[in-house]
Amino acid sequence: MSVPVIRTPLPGPKAKALIDRDSTVVSPSYTRGYPLVIERGSGCMVEDVDGNVFLDCAAGIAVNSTGHAHPDVVKAIVEQSARFLHMSGTDFYYEPQVRLAEELAAVTPIAGGVRSFFGNSGTEAVEACLKLSRYASGRQNIIAFLGGFHGRSMGSLSLTASKAIQRRGFGPLMPGVYHAPFPDCYRCPLGLTTTDCAAECLDFIDHQIFAHLVSPDEVAAIVIEPIQGEGGYVVAPDQFLQRLRALTKEHGILLVADEVQSGMGRSGKMFAIEFSGVEPDMMALAKGIASGLPLGVAVARAGLMAWPPGAHASTFGGNPVSCAAALATIKLLKETLVANAADVGAHMMAGLKSLSDAHPLIGDVRGRGLMIGVELVRNRQTKERATTERDAVVNAAFRRGLLVLGAGKNAVRFSPPLVLTKAQADTAVTIFAEALAEVEGSRR
Ligand SMILES: Cc1ncc(COP(=O)(O)O)c(C=O)c1O
């Protein structure tokens, strides 16, 4: 079937009825950018309850890595479900959890052996990294980055510095957290360009935070997203990550890579930090790891993950069905999908960049693999953020049958399933251009 096919006004009657029911009984804290009510999905195709078919470049917030209902993943889930659904891997043993830990040890860019702690979500993976950082270092303080998103439970929320609404009303948060500027080269805090920058914004940590706020020998860990996700798909330059690694080594600080969004092949490598050649001490993984089943993993150097029985655990963490889905997912990623993300991602990036001349709203197109952000601005010189226009573009794309999400204040993110084809990427770019034109037309 050629996608998209829009048959009704959106939302259609069945979608509207469900949204009305939702509005009285479901937490109003969820952010719904547009009224999509899904009935089923396959690959990059999503059908809603009224029979409208969409091209999915959102993937349930970068989760459906192998596409909707990949047959290999579904088969693994069905087979494991028929054997047993749960036995709590924190109290008992089962093979899928051990096999997944072995597989993660083989694919994570940390030499010398790693161990895995299993939870159910990104925030739990980050919490485990936080607790382990403090436990292993005997230090309390943590440095994270402005614009970063690490989750919404109290520990991870203390690191999250994405949108103030996410923190508003929930304080006091965890003490001992300091935030440094993230190296956003499009909006360089020091006014440099990528060609003359040697990652000077790292100096803020060295010359400001360490000089004025906290002694480096009291910092347990620095937590960074190699590509900020919710912050707007902003890529940290390789040299920044390399200098960050050198700085952390100099002071005995652990380096934690939060690859919840950038990991599992999305960047065109299994993990985005691999572009820099940097080896972190720990990684937080979730989202795409199990193609949609809940799973979060904290992976750490084996020597670091030396906490005793009872120190940390989770009833559901590492659920056998999620582990089976993750094993099938990683197999597909290794066989074809990481390479497809690199190949189709480069194609899509070129397509989106080519829209710049005709569409003045486009300020910047960036990303890696199938993790692409398009930042919209009202004026290319002043870079005034086009937030309302961004929301309008996302909605205009939806009405044309393309699912994308906003990220940061004014970026549109493309985070499709990694099975996206070049033809589908072209369709997405064409629809995106139409959505831009609609919003640009209405601004004139
Ligand atoms: C980089 C990063 N870390 C952590 C999280 C939290 O993950 P979850 O929503 O599964 O708790 C997210 C979610 O968007 C994320 O993008």
Side-chain angles (χ1 to χ4, degrees), residues 61 121-124 126 149-151 225 229-230 258 260-261 286-287:
I61 329 183
S121 62
T123 199
E124 287 176 65
V126 171
F149 187 92
H150 301 283
E225 294 165 86
E230 304 306 298
D258 181 343
V260 165
Q261 191 149 173
K287 285 200 186 281

Side-chain angles (χ1 to χ4, degrees), residues 342-360:
D343 186 28
V344 178
H347 179 82
M348 193 171 196
M349 177 83 85
L352 288 167
K353 282 193 167 159
S354 76
L355 301 181
S356 271
D357 286 348
H359 296 284

Side-chain angles (χ1 to χ4, degrees), residues 89-91 116-120 123-132 135 296 298 305 307-315:
T90 72
D91 276 17
S116 288
F117 173 88
F118 294 98
N120 307 284
T123 199
E124 287 176 65
V126 171
E127 294 290 341
C129 288
L130 283 179
K131 288 178 74 175
L132 185 59
Y135 187 88
M305 199 174 270
W307 41 15
H312 197 39
S314 158
T315 300

